[in-house]
Amino acid sequence: MTQEDSALDGLVRKRIRGLRSALGWSLDDLAARCYLSPSTLSRIETGHRRISLDQLSAIARALGTTLDQLVESDADDDVIIRPQHDMARGLTTWMLNRQPGVIVAKMRLTKPAPTSAKALKVHPGRDWFTVLSGAVTLVLGDRRILVETGQAAEFSTMIPHAFGAHEGPAEILGILDQDGRRTHLRPRPNGGEERSAEDAEG
């Protein structure tokens, strides 16, 4: 067992003991719920017995959690959100949640909104963003709308749309669904023409 594996093993045992205590359960209470003997559960918690996958699954169910949550690493990567840079599109993104479905992202825009109608995208759903700093040009069909610091925009993404920085870099906080994420945040493929901050479909 590597040092990393050993550390995770110890963390899993602490989680089991901590969750049991938080629920106010004794060893006997949890043992009865996961069909283990109290002595076996005690040895698991104290590190004197290896945990089989079947035992771990049963313990996770009894504690009302999942196997993935019980064994997830406590490394900084599950806490620290590092920016993703796309220099070609003038876009830096911080993903502010990791759950599937709705995406919350902070984005830094450095390129202006496109002027070509071909660059406008359409997808199901709605987008919402608020401008944290600078100003953003939101293109909705034939309209070009200036959204300034402190203002927010919410619109149907079935309207051909794009957005970009207005007269200098801008930062926004956006809420996107999966279609919006694919359209606005997908990295630019290698090669090809340089595209605007919103021209992410290919």
Side-chain angles (χ1 to χ4, degrees):
M1 180 182 291
T2 66
Q3 184 175 358
E4 183 177 344
D5 290 339
S6 178
L8 181 57
D9 181 77
L11 180 62
V12 169
R13 296 174 194 274
K14 287 180 182 178
R15 283 175 176 157
I16 292 171
R17 185 165 58 250
L19 288 170
R20 177 176 62 76
S21 297
L23 291 167
W25 293 350
S26 67
L27 280 168
D28 289 346
D29 293 331
L30 179 55
R33 286 172 168 82
C34 57
Y35 306 102
L36 297 172
S37 70
S39 61
T40 296
L41 185 58
S42 176
R43 291 196 296 274
I44 286 173
E45 285 190 359
T46 56
H48 294 103
R49 180 188 179 101
R50 291 182 63 85
I51 316 173
S52 71
L53 184 58
D54 288 345
Q55 290 171 333
L56 200 56
S57 296
I59 292 170
R61 282 195 301 272
L63 290 170
T65 187
T66 66
L67 189 58
D68 286 346
Q69 290 173 327
L70 206 54
V71 302
E72 69 181 353
S73 169
D74 66 342
D76 289 346
D77 284 344
D78 70 343
V79 177
I80 303 300
I81 298 175
R82 294 179 174 82
Q84 302 169 12
H85 304 286
D86 189 336
M87 300 303 293
R89 291 166 56 207
L91 179 65
T92 301
T93 304
W94 293 258
M95 301 305 296
L96 302 185
N97 69 332
R98 296 182 171 90
Q99 303 303 315
V102 174
I103 304 301
V104 181
K106 178 187 173 189
M107 292 171 271
R108 184 173 191 271
L109 311 174
T110 58
K111 293 200 171 185
T115 56
S116 169
K118 292 181 179 179
L120 305 185
K121 298 301 173 185
V122 174
H123 59 85
R126 301 187 73 83
D127 279 358
W128 177 97
F129 69 82
T130 185
V131 181
L132 303 176
S133 66
V136 171
T137 301
L138 170 63
V139 184
L140 283 179
D142 295 330
R143 294 187 293 164
R144 297 180 73 86
I145 304 165
L146 182 64
V147 188
E148 299 180 290
T149 300
Q151 296 180 333
E154 189 261 346
F155 53 94
S156 168
T157 51
M158 291 301 288
I159 301 171
H161 64 282
F163 50 82
H166 176 76
E167 296 182 351
E171 291 191 344
I172 66 174
L173 185 68
I175 299 177
L176 312 168
D177 59 16
Q178 290 288 3
D179 289 312
R181 179 181 184 178
R182 282 193 295 270
T183 300
H184 301 309
L185 303 184
R186 198 176 73 183
R188 174 179 179 271
N190 292 331
E193 296 180 357
E194 180 172 304
R195 298 184 291 176
S196 73
E198 289 305 293
D199 192 5
E201 285 280 297

